[in-house]
Amino acid sequence: MASIEPRYNRAGQLMHYRLIVSGGLNWEGKQIKRTTTWKPPRPNMSKKQMEREAMAAAFKFEEAIQAGYDIDKVKRFCDYADYVLDLKERNGLAPTTIERYRAMLPRINDAIGHLKLTQIRPQHLNDFYKTLSENGVRNLGAIAVAKKVLKKKVEALGQPKHVIAKESGIAHTTLNAVLNGKAVKLETAQGIADALGYSVSEMFTVSDRKKPPSNKTILEHHRLISMILAQADKEMLVPYNPAAKASPPKVPKHEADYFQPEEIADIVKALEKAPVKWKAMSYILIDTGCRRGELMGLQWNCVDLDKGIMMIRQALLYTKEKGTYVGPPKTGQPRAICLSPETIAVLKEYRTDQLRQKIRHADIWQDTGFLFTKDDGTPMHPDSITDWLNKFSEENDLPHIHPHAFRHTAASMMIANGVDLVNAAAELGHATASTTLNLYAHQVARARAEASGIRAGAFAVLRQA
């Protein structure tokens, strides 16, 4: 039964009413009391009016409790957010995802962290997204643009540019771009200035790069807020999830970035001059379209070079808190992939090279079983292939290469060659064929159009007449 209790201050003035309802029985069979407060909404209300409205509020409160709601009017968003991320982490959410969420949370807490869960409205979130798009700048690090004096100093040396580039630790194409006015990272400018014997400020104009977050970044913040408030809704701490009624910015769909066959041919040709380890990594990415973490997590017991089969059972991942660690593939399911004869041949060459390295570094070698390792046999950092491909593309005047572009290329080629969506999804390690369809809708539509040849439209009828 609901009841109310008036609460007074020391001066005898009414502050609010305490609403008391039953929350059922605990495990010992004792009554659980649920309480909240109610303040008179209007001044100069009579005592009877206040009691009547307080009692009506108590009955509504009792109905909510009986329906399973335990509306939390005390807990702040910032405190509950920490609880939800801890809960998700215990339930197996990937450490990389948890780390990304924790990095976003301070900015969210600055805007709504002080609000109680029940105070948050869609308008609060919409205001946050608007402020974020206008004022939430990202510092992308310092950039440097060459002064005119740099070109004169390089010409005065009388040395070939590739020699200066080598001393600077950069590709000669990068040096040419710098001399033509392209902005570069401060580290690159520092290397050039050091090689010439000058300070950075003498040779370059340095400035900070700042820009507001993209709609995609703002949408990621919205999804985190939505996940946290969805948990509060699930635990019946709020009457509804306000994020579900908010209006985050829309992110236009972009066609997947992939290489044309002639670009792949140029990349493969350039790889002939690359060290065999990096060549083997690149061949696997081109051939299979596996993810970067899956590539770096490969072990020799997952590769059968005689049968040409590679098993994806794990991924090598990295977070600041855990360092490099082994985790499951993205979908959690292992998969088998057929290797091309070209990839098998390169892997056999690489295996021989790794055995020589093992003998050469026998005093420090650790037998971890990984395909791609450091000089001591331990697994490499997952970012290492990305860094190497960036440098490789610059040195060989190739389009910018990143591992995921090879994945998109493999998917596009499968679809273009008539591989059905179910098998394409299995090969790529997508959870469902609908994931593949959503990601590669453009390529699927084109393949279907090409497969159908001509459509039986009006002009087709006229041609037959």
Side-chain angles (χ1 to χ4, degrees), residues 114-133:
H114 64 286
L115 294 175
K116 296 180 177 67
L117 290 175
T118 52
Q119 291 177 326
I120 298 173
R121 297 289 181 270
Q123 295 92 323
H124 292 125
L125 305 184
N126 292 338
D127 287 345
F128 169 54
Y129 304 145
K130 183 174 183 291
T131 302
L132 200 56
S133 67

Side-chain angles (χ1 to χ4, degrees), residues 131-409:
T131 302
L132 200 56
S133 67
E134 294 173 350
N135 306 318
V137 296
R138 293 179 295 162
N139 193 337
L140 302 179
I143 57 168
V145 177
K147 296 179 179 178
K148 290 181 179 179
V149 67
L150 176 65
K151 198 167 189 176
K152 293 178 181 178
K153 295 294 182 184
V154 169
E155 290 172 352
L157 283 175
Q159 289 183 326
K161 288 181 184 176
H162 72 269
V163 174
I164 299 172
K166 188 174 181 181
E167 291 176 358
S168 305
I170 60 174
H172 74 276
T173 52
T174 303
L175 179 60
N176 285 333
V178 170
L179 295 175
N180 290 327
K182 181 183 177 183
V184 292
K185 291 180 180 178
L186 182 59
E187 295 83 356
T188 303
Q190 185 71 60
I192 296 170
D194 289 346
L196 297 175
Y198 294 92
S199 67
V200 172
S201 60
E202 289 177 291
M203 297 291 108
F204 291 87
T205 300
V206 180
S207 59
D208 286 331
R209 287 183 301 165
K210 292 185 177 181
K211 62 183 291 188
S214 65
N215 282 357
K216 181 176 180 290
T217 301
I218 296 172
L219 187 59
E220 287 173 350
H221 283 73
H222 165 75
R223 286 170 178 162
L224 173 55
I225 294 169
S226 185
M227 182 190 77
I228 292 165
L229 294 176
Q231 185 66 31
D233 187 18
K234 187 177 179 181
E235 294 182 357
M236 294 184 166
L237 301 178
V238 292
Y240 68 99
N241 179 357
K245 299 177 182 293
S247 302
K250 292 184 178 179
V251 179
K253 270 194 171 184
H254 295 288
E255 188 179 338
D257 181 19
Y258 61 94
F259 297 113
Q260 297 297 330
E262 57 271 20
E263 291 175 319
I264 290 291
D266 290 339
I267 293 169
V268 170
K269 184 178 179 180
L271 283 170
E272 289 304 310
K273 298 177 290 184
V276 68
K277 177 170 75 174
W278 301 102
K279 180 181 178 182
M281 287 188 198
S282 303
Y283 265 58
I284 290 175
L285 289 173
I286 294 169
D287 189 19
T288 69
C290 67
R291 299 178 179 91
R292 182 187 68 174
E294 295 170 345
L295 169 76
M296 304 308 290
L298 284 171
Q299 293 185 298
W300 283 111
N301 60 11
C302 297
V303 180
D304 188 332
L305 294 179
D306 295 327
K307 294 181 179 178
I309 299 291
M310 182 177 81
M311 288 294 300
I312 301 289
R313 292 198 182 101
Q314 62 188 30
L316 196 66
L317 307 168
Y318 174 84
T319 65
K320 288 181 180 178
E321 185 178 339
K322 296 185 67 171
T324 302
Y325 68 98
V326 173
K330 192 169 183 179
T331 60
Q333 298 297 320
R335 67 185 191 278
I337 304 177
C338 290
L339 298 174
S340 67
E342 293 83 358
T343 302
I344 294 169
V346 172
L347 281 173
K348 286 180 178 178
E349 182 187 352
Y350 168 62
R351 184 171 60 179
T352 302
D353 183 77
Q354 191 185 60
L355 289 172
R356 290 196 198 102
Q357 184 177 319
K358 181 178 179 179
I359 295 168
R360 192 162 53 246
H361 299 286
D363 54 331
I364 60 168
W365 186 266
Q366 299 179 45
D367 224 344
T368 60
F370 282 89
L371 254 73
F372 304 112
T373 64
K374 302 175 188 175
D375 288 345
D376 62 356
T378 57
M380 302 169 69
H381 193 289
D383 286 344
S384 55
I385 181 60
T386 305
D387 296 339
W388 185 85
L389 285 171
N390 284 337
K391 189 175 179 182
F392 170 74
S393 55
E394 283 185 7
E395 290 176 344
N396 292 279
D397 294 320
L398 294 166
H400 174 63
I401 303 172
H402 59 90
H404 224 69
F406 287 137
R407 181 168 173 79
H408 294 323
T409 303

Side-chain angles (χ1 to χ4, degrees), residues 1-6 17-23 34-39 49-67 69 71 73:
M1 181 69 182
S3 62
I4 60 174
E5 291 179 358
Y17 281 87
R18 185 181 183 218
L19 313 183
I20 309 164
V21 302
S22 172
R34 301 292 189 195
T35 62
T36 189
T37 58
W38 178 87
K39 289 183 179 180
Q49 285 177 324
M50 287 190 289
E51 287 178 350
R52 186 164 57 247
E53 292 200 21
M55 202 66 206
F59 285 133
K60 286 184 180 179
F61 180 48
E62 184 176 42
E63 286 176 0
I65 293 297
Q66 289 176 350
Y69 286 97
I71 306 300
K73 295 189 177 180

